[in-house]
């Protein structure tokens, strides 16, 4: 939210909400399902969800082009869950199955670096 106050978005972009999620697999799933359901109630509008990660040592944003169907945590989450090489959604295939972003990630990175 502070970034949005300092860097104005084009008038055609509306930020519907910003949410800080619990840092746990189950907590995130519960919250994301609720947000997803409310998004589907609105027709004719594009939605972009941004996950800004949980890397306490990060000094900037990391844009990724692919999401993997793999839960592999180096340490336990807030609820004590520590999956190791576990499939997240079995119906979507194995751990090596990835989903590519439809966003122009390389172009976004270039624009972000330009400032």
């Amino acid at each position: 939210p502070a970034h949005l106050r300092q860097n104005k978005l084009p008038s055609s972009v509306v930020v519907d909400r910003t949410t800080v999620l619990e840092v746990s697999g189950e907590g995130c799933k519960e919250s994301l399902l609720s947000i997803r359901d409310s998004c589907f109630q609105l027709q004719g509008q594009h939605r972009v969800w941004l996950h800004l990660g949980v890397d306490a040592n990060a000094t900037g944003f990391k844009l990724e082009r692919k999401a993997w169907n793999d839960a592999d945590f180096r340490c336990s989450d807030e609820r004590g869950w520590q999956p190791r090489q576990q499939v997240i959604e079995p119906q979507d295939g194995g751990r090596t199955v990835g989903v590519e972003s439809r966003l122009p990630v390389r172009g976004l990175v270039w624009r972000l670096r330009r400032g």
Side-chain angles (χ1 to χ4, degrees):
H3 179 78
L4 293 176
R5 283 191 293 274
Q6 296 168 357
N7 302 280
K8 298 296 180 193
L9 296 171
S11 61
S12 60
V13 176
V14 176
V15 176
D16 180 56
R17 73 187 87 185
T18 59
T19 305
V20 176
L21 301 178
E22 177 183 327
V23 184
S24 76
E26 283 302 311
C28 282
K29 189 172 185 178
E30 294 163 5
S31 297
L32 291 173
L33 289 173
S34 173
I35 293 168
R36 181 200 65 190
D37 291 345
S38 70
C39 285
F40 284 133
Q41 293 174 3
L42 302 170
Q43 299 296 319
Q45 297 177 5
H46 295 284
R47 296 280 184 266
V48 175
W49 293 28
L50 296 177
H51 175 271
L52 300 178
V54 292
D55 184 351
N57 297 315
T59 58
F61 298 117
K62 297 176 186 175
L63 300 184
E64 297 178 353
R65 293 188 304 258
K66 186 175 264 191
W68 297 99
N69 193 17
D70 182 33
D72 192 20
F73 294 8
R74 288 185 300 274
C75 56
S76 301
D77 69 16
E78 287 185 11
R79 296 188 187 186
W81 184 49
Q82 187 177 2
R84 299 301 294 172
Q85 299 180 347
Q86 183 175 328
V87 172
I88 298 169
E89 295 292 342
Q91 69 274 13
D92 292 340
R95 292 180 36 248
T96 59
V97 174
V99 177
E100 294 276 347
S101 174
R102 290 186 274 170
L103 295 173
V105 176
R106 287 190 174 131
L108 292 170
V109 169
W110 181 80
R111 289 191 66 178
L112 288 168
R113 286 184 175 151
R114 272 188 33 206

